[in-house]
Amino acid sequence: MSAPVIWIVIPAVMGLVLWLLRRNQALSFTVAVVGCLLLTIMAAVVPIGEPVTLGSLTFTIPTTLPVLGRRFVLTNADRMMLTLLYGLGTVWFGLAMIAWPHRLFPSFGLGMLAVMVAALAVEPFLYAALLVETAVLFSVPILSPPGRKIGLGLQRYLIFQTLAFPLVLFAGWALGAAEANPTNVILFQRASLLLGMGFAFWLGVFPFYNWLPMMMTETHPFAAGFVLSLLTTAVLLLGLDFINSTAFLRSSATLFTVLRITGALMVVTAGLWAAFQVNLARLFGYAVIFETGFALLAISVNSLSGWLLFAAAFLPRLLGLLIFAFSLAVLENQGVPLTFEGVGGLIRFYPLVGLGLLAAVFSMGGFPLLAGLPVRLEIFEQLAVSFRSALIAAGIGTAGFLFAAIQLLAALVRSDQKEWVSMETWWQRIILGGGSLFLLAFGVFPSSFYQSILFILQSFPQIF
Amino acid sequence: MTPLTSVVSLILLTAASLSLIWTNKWRYNIASIAVQYLIVFWYVAQVWPIGLAAIKLIVGWMAGAVLGASVTANPRRDAEPPVISSRIFRLIAGIFILILALSAAPRSVDWIPEQPSALIASVFLIGMGLLNLSTTNDPLRVIIGLLTMLSGFEIMYAAVVNSVLVTGLLALVTLGIALTGAYWLSLTSSEDSE
């Protein structure tokens, strides 16, 4: 059994089976969590393409699965990427049992995960565009489950994501033509332009991100949190794969300049809009844009330290988004309006939800002793060396985001009530308390947590 | 392709696409989608084996059938026709897109090695798809806009890539978009009935 069968075909089949079992929610969630956990553990401990000895049994997991003349390839270097993606699945499906136990979530979520891994594994990489679009289509029932209205944000999400894939497909063709004719620089420039546009639509890069805050107000925050966490993580990894595979992109100074400008614009606009935001769901949308902007800034440094920062930022970003989405989900499930007015004084009734919200938002803003700070500081240092204007933009954006966090703090604690009552369930308390502690531990002992995630860069050896 | 067949297919395509923005009657919309995919098949068959090109036609018609079957479950589908000023605005915008396609597409041969008439059809469809997407918030029309835009892209892409896997995945995406539309229509229908 090859690695693509284990990490793509089996989860895809599991997704299909879970769709058939969707009426039995407890069973389908349990199967999704256990399946993802097993795949995560296997990715972490079992080498791919190398002999594995299990007692008297010795076997090798092949790396390649040929399909219609093309190949899906997962090598030993991809194990950290698989661990990250299936680990993300394990945690989100596990927490969904408390935050959003919707019957369609395990099947379509697992389908999304499998297709995203397929997009990262397919060769030649131009086919990834079609697979990402398939994953986007899988995300639609998660974002608009029966009972919810289809809003403008959700429609725009589908439109923008669908606009991306023809551009990336054409870019793949143009890159192939350019590599066959390396003296023709114009072909490379066209390919880069198409690729850049495609990724801009996928990631919701400035100015194509207006759907993101809109969509957040139309969907359940936990569902949107899962889709946005998975989509941005996989697309960023895919972007890195494109840069890794194409010599022209690696050596293109223009690409990294464009990435720096768009990254800085995303950070500054998201930070400033967040500062004037009074809706928590929309604030989550701006947080996603803000984080993506910082990821682009880390890539734009185009040095070893920049790539390391890009990889290191995955864990605090994903943890921050998870805690933020979970906290919002608890409030949404209780019928609390997700506005600053709606959560006014709520910390006296939902202390751990308040703690989770504050820990997540302050961490994303780069507040001292929280998980986001070490990576933010390093990015600021890198930008200070050569790109001062980007540093100023990132500083303004961060200040705006921290202002939003302080406003949230003010809204949560403003109350005439004297007594404290905890209305969360025990599970919610454990998850939110544990998650907030994790965010603190990440910030206090950064090197202990960041070391492992850096191995994700093994999948992209050419970028160094 | 003779000049006459090029002109006839372009006229048919223009009529089908303009009718999509002129009327909200779902029967006419589905019929227009069917005509569009017939013309897409015609253009793709110029550069691909006919068997492979037929996939575009079959999948396009299946997408139309899926939407048609779902839309019948929604009794209020044709309840609110667009006002005449809105129709005229869309029609004028559509004519502008046609003029743009006629003037810009022949110059795009430098970018995409494709027959000029196919490029005109492709650019026109992409433009009409984007026009549909930008002037509506109705789920059915959003899906029709996406299908129109993608069918234009498929004519262009067929000239440069003729892989079986890409054809299969594009067919999957087209059907997936139609199924998404059907799903959205079923949600809208249940909202209306509440």
Side-chain angles (χ1 to χ4, degrees):
Chain A
M1 199 183 288
S2 65
V5 170
I6 297 171
W7 281 284
I8 298 170
V9 178
I10 289 177
V13 172
M14 267 172 62
L16 192 66
V17 172
L18 291 182
W19 186 74
L20 298 172
L21 294 175
R22 65 190 183 279
R23 299 283 168 201
N24 193 339
Q25 279 167 261
L27 178 66
S28 63
F29 271 102
T30 310
V31 171
V33 173
V34 172
C36 278
L37 184 64
L38 285 175
L39 291 168
T40 309
I41 293 168
M42 277 187 73
V45 299
V46 181
I48 303 170
E50 291 174 10
V52 183
T53 307
L54 207 68
S56 60
L57 185 71
T58 303
F59 62 93
T60 304
I61 297 176
T63 56
T64 308
L65 174 71
V67 177
L68 290 172
R70 305 297 184 273
R71 303 185 317 156
F72 289 90
V73 183
L74 288 171
T75 65
N76 212 24
D78 296 323
R79 280 171 50 206
M80 188 36 127
M81 186 181 75
L82 293 170
T83 310
L84 179 75
L85 290 175
Y86 281 105
L88 189 146
T90 309
V91 175
W92 281 88
F93 292 136
L95 296 190
M97 290 197 253
I98 300 158
W100 191 63
H102 197 278
R103 65 180 191 277
L104 295 179
F105 186 40
S107 53
F108 284 95
L110 207 54
M112 257 192 97
L113 259 173
V115 176
M116 278 300 191
V117 172
L120 289 160
V122 72
E123 285 182 2
F125 57 70
L126 73 98
Y127 294 95
L130 288 157
L131 292 165
V132 173
E133 176 64 15
T134 310
V136 167
L137 293 173
F138 275 137
S139 74
V140 170
I142 300 175
L143 293 169
S144 58
R148 273 197 181 252
K149 285 189 176 176
I150 307 139
L152 207 55
L154 191 61
Q155 289 179 19
R156 286 192 188 173
Y157 161 73
L158 183 65
I159 292 169
F160 278 91
Q161 298 296 318
T162 306
L163 285 178
F165 93 88
L167 292 165
V168 178
L169 274 182
F170 260 120
W173 163 74
L175 276 175
E179 278 171 353
N181 188 10
T183 52
N184 192 342
V185 182
I186 294 172
L187 272 177
F188 278 113
Q189 288 170 346
R190 284 174 188 167
S192 307
L193 179 69
L194 291 166
L195 198 61
M197 290 285 288
F199 271 87
F201 282 124
W202 265 343
L203 284 173
V205 163
F206 179 87
F208 305 119
Y209 63 52
N210 66 349
W211 56 269
L212 225 156
M214 283 169 79
M215 189 183 81
M216 282 305 304
T217 57
E218 296 162 4
T219 60
H220 194 281
F222 197 80
F226 169 76
V227 170
L228 293 173
S229 296
L230 178 59
L231 202 65
T232 51
T233 303
V235 171
L236 282 170
L237 288 172
L238 201 61
L240 211 57
D241 195 25
F242 273 43
I243 295 173
N244 178 63
S245 316
T246 316
F248 175 76
L249 292 178
R250 289 197 302 275
S251 59
S252 166
T254 313
L255 170 75
F256 293 101
T257 308
V258 170
L259 283 177
R260 188 157 46 252
I261 293 167
T262 48
L265 279 170
M266 285 177 81
V267 170
V268 78
T269 52
L272 289 178
W273 300 161
F276 298 105
Q277 194 48 248
V278 292
N279 186 305
L280 285 173
R282 291 179 74 91
L283 186 63
F284 185 95
Y286 287 118
V288 173
I289 299 164
F290 187 72
E291 289 285 350
T292 309
F294 266 107
L296 294 184
L297 281 177
I299 295 173
S300 77
V301 173
N302 191 22
S303 65
L304 178 61
S305 46
W307 299 118
L308 292 175
L309 285 171
F310 169 77
F314 273 120
L315 286 183
R317 176 192 309 137
L318 291 174
L319 187 60
L321 291 176
L322 177 72
I323 304 290
F324 198 168
F326 187 86
S327 307
L328 291 181
V330 172
L331 295 178
E332 169 101 353
N333 295 346
Q334 296 295 324
V336 177
L338 298 181
T339 58
F340 280 0
E341 198 182 344
V343 300
L346 216 74
I347 205 156
R348 288 182 180 269
F349 303 101
Y350 294 93
L352 284 156
V353 170
L355 178 71
L357 278 175
L358 291 171
V361 177
F362 274 104
S363 170
M364 288 179 201
F367 195 75
L369 293 185
L370 290 173
L373 180 74
V375 179
R376 291 280 187 277
L377 265 186
E378 279 293 322
I379 292 177
F380 284 156
E381 276 186 28
Q382 294 293 324
L383 294 176
V385 175
S386 334
F387 316 110
R388 298 264 165 86
S389 48
L391 173 70
I392 293 166
I396 293 170
T398 305
F401 204 83
L402 279 174
F403 182 73
I406 292 164
Q407 278 187 307
L408 176 63
L409 172 65
L412 283 169
V413 300
R414 188 174 50 232
S415 173
D416 297 330
Q417 291 280 333
K418 292 283 185 281
E419 69 275 20
W420 288 74
V421 187
S422 176
M423 293 173 75
E424 298 115 339
T425 63
W426 272 105
W427 275 115
Q428 289 167 352
R429 285 177 205 154
I430 290 167
I431 290 159
L432 288 164
S436 304
L437 276 176
F438 252 119
L439 282 173
L440 185 68
F442 264 75
V444 177
F445 310 106
S447 55
S448 326
F449 291 96
Y450 294 143
Q451 290 297 330
S452 55
I453 191 73
L454 298 182
F455 288 107
I456 207 166
L457 293 174
Q458 283 179 336
S459 304
F460 318 104
Q462 307 289 330
I463 56 174
F464 302 113
Chain B
M1 192 190 293
T2 63
L4 181 67
T5 51
S6 299
V7 171
V8 169
S9 55
L10 201 58
I11 289 171
L12 272 175
L13 192 69
T14 309
S17 296
L18 290 178
S19 84
L20 272 179
I21 54 170
W22 181 256
T23 179
N24 267 9
K25 301 271 184 200
W26 70 266
R27 285 183 184 81
Y28 296 147
N29 286 170
I30 301 296
S32 300
I33 286 279
V35 173
Q36 271 184 14
Y37 273 101
L38 186 68
I39 307 296
V40 169
F41 160 70
W42 170 252
Y43 279 113
V44 174
Q46 308 300 314
V47 287
W48 279 13
I50 203 149
L52 201 56
I55 293 172
K56 306 275 182 204
L57 180 68
I58 294 164
V59 168
W61 282 6
M62 276 173 73
V66 166
L67 288 175
S70 314
V71 89
T72 48
N74 189 347
R76 287 177 58 188
R77 171 56 40 203
D78 290 335
E80 293 168 14
V83 293
I84 192 73
S85 58
S86 162
R87 289 182 184 196
I88 292 170
F89 170 76
R90 288 189 210 172
L91 189 67
I92 291 171
I95 291 166
F96 269 115
I97 288 169
L98 180 63
I99 294 167
L100 183 78
L102 286 168
S103 56
R107 290 162 198 250
S108 312
V109 176
D110 182 35
W111 276 57
I112 313 283
E114 172 73 288
Q115 290 178 14
S117 62
L119 266 181
I120 292 168
S122 172
V123 172
F124 178 63
L125 278 177
I126 292 171
M128 292 303 287
L130 292 175
L131 176 67
N132 248 318
L133 292 172
S134 57
T135 55
T136 187
N137 56 6
D138 174 46
L140 176 65
R141 297 195 70 81
V142 166
I143 296 301
I144 286 175
L146 285 175
L147 290 176
T148 306
M149 191 267 295
L150 283 181
S151 58
F153 158 74
E154 287 189 50
I155 295 176
M156 209 184 270
Y157 198 62
V160 294
V161 175
N162 67 346
S163 150
V164 177
L165 186 57
V166 169
T167 309
L169 286 172
L170 272 172
L172 190 73
V173 167
T174 305
L175 274 180
I177 289 173
L179 287 170
T180 301
Y183 175 69
W184 277 356
L185 285 171
S186 72
L187 295 186
T188 315
S189 168
S190 60
E191 277 164 23
D192 288 344
S193 60
E194 277 168 12

